Amino acid sequence: MLRIIFSTFLVVFVAELGDKTQLQTMLLATQSESIWPVFIGASLALLLSSLLGVLAGTYLTKYIPTSYLQTGAGVVFIVIGVLTLSGKF
């Protein structure tokens, strides 16, 4: 169980570094008199979005094979990357 916790932490931590969410959080922190409300709000948002992802993944794997979900997620990431590079996302 500890291995799953560590690997999940590592993957999410690395994925979140330097993304739009982190940059927006930094911007909000510069506009706030105290960093704590920004930290708490950002932490709760990440917690809720992670919970939704876990629940959705648990629900979807009951009806769709994991290999299809992994392939679909890969395709979506590629499409989002292409759209981002083209300036349409």
Side-chain angles (χ1 to χ4, degrees), residues 24-26 28-32 34-43:
Q24 183 63 35
T25 304
M26 285 190 286
L28 288 169
T30 65
Q31 298 172 350
S32 177
S34 173
I35 62 168
W36 294 110
V38 176
F39 174 74
I40 291 169
S43 297

Side-chain angles (χ1 to χ4, degrees), residues 10 14 21 27 58:
L10 191 61
V14 170
T21 306
L27 179 62
T58 302

Side-chain angles (χ1 to χ4, degrees), residues 4-48:
I4 294 172
I5 292 171
F6 179 73
S7 64
T8 303
F9 170 82
L10 191 61
V11 167
V12 172
F13 182 77
V14 170
E16 292 296 323
L17 284 178
D19 74 344
K20 292 184 285 186
T21 306
Q22 187 182 34
L23 297 174
Q24 183 63 35
T25 304
M26 285 190 286
L27 179 62
L28 288 169
T30 65
Q31 298 172 350
S32 177
E33 291 186 22
S34 173
I35 62 168
W36 294 110
V38 176
F39 174 74
I40 291 169
S43 297
L44 290 173
L46 182 58
L47 182 69
L48 180 60

Side-chain angles (χ1 to χ4, degrees), residues 35-71:
I35 62 168
W36 294 110
V38 176
F39 174 74
I40 291 169
S43 297
L44 290 173
L46 182 58
L47 182 69
L48 180 60
S49 66
S50 296
L51 176 64
L52 291 173
V54 168
L55 293 175
T58 302
Y59 177 78
L60 289 174
T61 55
K62 291 180 181 180
Y63 303 102
I64 303 170
T66 305
S67 61
Y68 290 174
L69 291 172
Q70 290 173 340
T71 302

